[in-house]
Amino acid sequence: MLPITIHTKFHSIEGIEWGNPQGTPILAFHGWLDNANSFAPLAKFFSNYRFISIDFPGHGKSSHKPENTVYYFAEYALEVVSIAQALGLDDFILMAHSMGAAVSTLVAGTNLLKIKKLVLIESLGPLTNLSESAPDILTEAIKQILHPRGKKETYFPDMESAIGVRMRAGDMKKESAEILMERGIEKTPKGLKPRRDLRLHYNSFFRYTEEQIVSFCSRIECQTLLILGDKSGYPIAEKYKHRKDAVKHLTEKILPGGHHLHMDSPKEVANVIIDFLEN
């Protein structure tokens, strides 16, 4: 396991690399408020690959946005492309979970990168809204950003407290929460503090429409694997039929587990991914 640093046009990006430096590259992106350790349990099953897991901007050890700015979802797509290009990756495997998978769906649909295969865990594109709801979404986002309603930084007296809060925020085993918090917490004079940028909690200014996301899905040219947990609170299997139908070369696998099944059951998830990559 080696730490890596990548400088894109806008950020200093931190990550972790495992496996064979000469192997086929896997570039992996985590979910919202997670970090590069999200793929630590999975990476050990890919020793023949060059497995690179990244902290998104504002997450983990990567840089935050400058003061007096906010995060836009579409900018994550820009970062994925920038990171892949900075690493000089060509004909690589793009793997992602949750928010990372939502972003990677858009990136694959742009065809800006030469993606060998696409592995999406627990997401196929981002959340959407009806066109007529756009004024309400923008209104709420502006109000929230101008008047944050008491959003303050969180401090924990010890790691156990931080792990407990993370477990309540998502369905995952304690061991998985411990792995995330190992990278997601830093020591300060006031106590242990999450490394994530507090501004990540602000609402989006806008969301895509379902028709727009389907159009991205229809432009994905590479073979795509969608892995879903049968106990996940995200009903992707039933909700996004049009998206799945639009992806030309889609394989769907539903495995036992919740939203973080790649961390909770890494061996089972790895077996499905390896079978997809090598056949």
Side-chain angles (χ1 to χ4, degrees):
M1 182 180 82
L2 294 172
I4 60 171
T5 302
I6 304 150
H7 297 287
T8 68
K9 188 172 183 179
F10 302 102
H11 285 282
S12 175
I13 299 294
E14 300 294 327
I16 316 167
E17 184 171 333
W18 296 269
N20 177 8
Q22 309 307 319
T24 300
I26 296 175
L27 184 60
F29 292 91
H30 60 80
W32 183 62
L33 300 185
D34 288 349
N35 55 63
N37 271 11
S38 175
F39 288 95
L42 200 63
K44 65 183 180 181
F45 296 99
F46 291 83
S47 57
N48 292 331
Y49 293 81
R50 181 189 178 193
F51 199 113
I52 307 165
S53 183
I54 297 297
D55 289 330
F56 270 126
H59 296 75
K61 297 183 179 181
S62 288
S63 65
H64 295 186
K65 293 199 72 171
E67 289 186 24
N68 305 316
T69 59
V70 294
Y71 289 84
Y72 296 93
F73 185 84
E75 289 180 346
Y76 289 119
L78 169 65
E79 286 300 325
V80 170
V81 175
S82 297
I83 290 164
Q85 291 180 345
L87 288 167
L89 299 183
D90 188 41
D91 204 24
F92 68 100
I93 296 153
L94 180 58
M95 183 185 299
H97 169 249
S98 194
M99 184 190 81
V103 175
S104 296
T105 303
L106 303 186
V107 171
T110 66
N111 293 303
L112 287 169
L113 298 173
K114 190 175 181 183
I115 300 170
K116 187 181 185 73
K117 289 190 177 182
L118 177 64
V119 179
L120 304 174
I121 304 171
E122 277 288 294
S123 190
L124 179 61
L127 296 173
T128 57
N129 280 102
L130 299 172
S131 297
E132 53 266 30
S133 68
D136 295 328
I137 292 170
L138 180 59
T139 299
E140 285 304 310
I142 291 173
K143 287 165 60 178
Q144 186 184 64
I145 291 167
L146 292 180
H147 307 286
R149 292 178 291 196
K151 283 190 180 293
K152 296 179 181 178
E153 194 54 84
T154 303
Y155 294 92
F156 301 101
D158 51 50
M159 187 62 81
E160 279 298 312
S161 302
I163 292 167
V165 169
R166 185 63 187 86
M167 288 179 67
R168 289 194 291 275
D171 58 336
M172 67 175 70
K173 293 179 180 178
K174 184 178 181 182
E175 293 83 356
S176 299
E178 288 172 344
I179 291 168
L180 285 176
M181 290 298 95
E182 184 181 287
R183 189 173 179 87
I185 291 288
E186 61 182 342
K187 290 182 179 180
T188 76
K190 293 183 179 181
L192 299 177
K193 182 177 78 71
R195 281 199 169 102
R196 58 92 186 96
D197 194 326
L198 193 62
R199 289 169 291 179
L200 294 170
H201 292 277
Y202 291 158
N203 291 351
S204 298
F205 276 98
F206 71 94
R207 285 181 177 169
Y208 294 95
T209 65
E210 190 62 25
E211 292 78 12
Q212 288 174 321
I213 300 306
V214 169
S215 71
F216 277 97
C217 290
S218 69
R219 295 195 183 191
I220 297 174
E221 298 296 335
C222 60
Q223 291 186 46
T224 303
L225 172 63
L226 174 63
I227 297 177
L228 305 173
D230 65 353
K231 297 179 179 64
S232 172
Y234 296 81
I236 298 166
E238 299 81 17
K239 188 173 181 181
Y240 296 133
K241 184 179 184 306
H242 293 302
R243 299 187 189 187
K244 292 191 292 183
D245 290 344
V247 180
K248 298 179 184 69
H249 311 289
L250 180 69
T251 300
E252 179 182 346
K253 295 289 185 181
I254 300 178
L255 302 177
H259 188 55
H260 283 79
L261 74 163
H262 66 305
M263 297 192 73
D264 291 340
S265 305
K267 183 177 181 180
E268 292 78 5
V269 173
N271 287 340
V272 169
I273 296 173
I274 292 170
D275 182 66
F276 169 73
L277 297 181
E278 297 182 357
N279 291 293

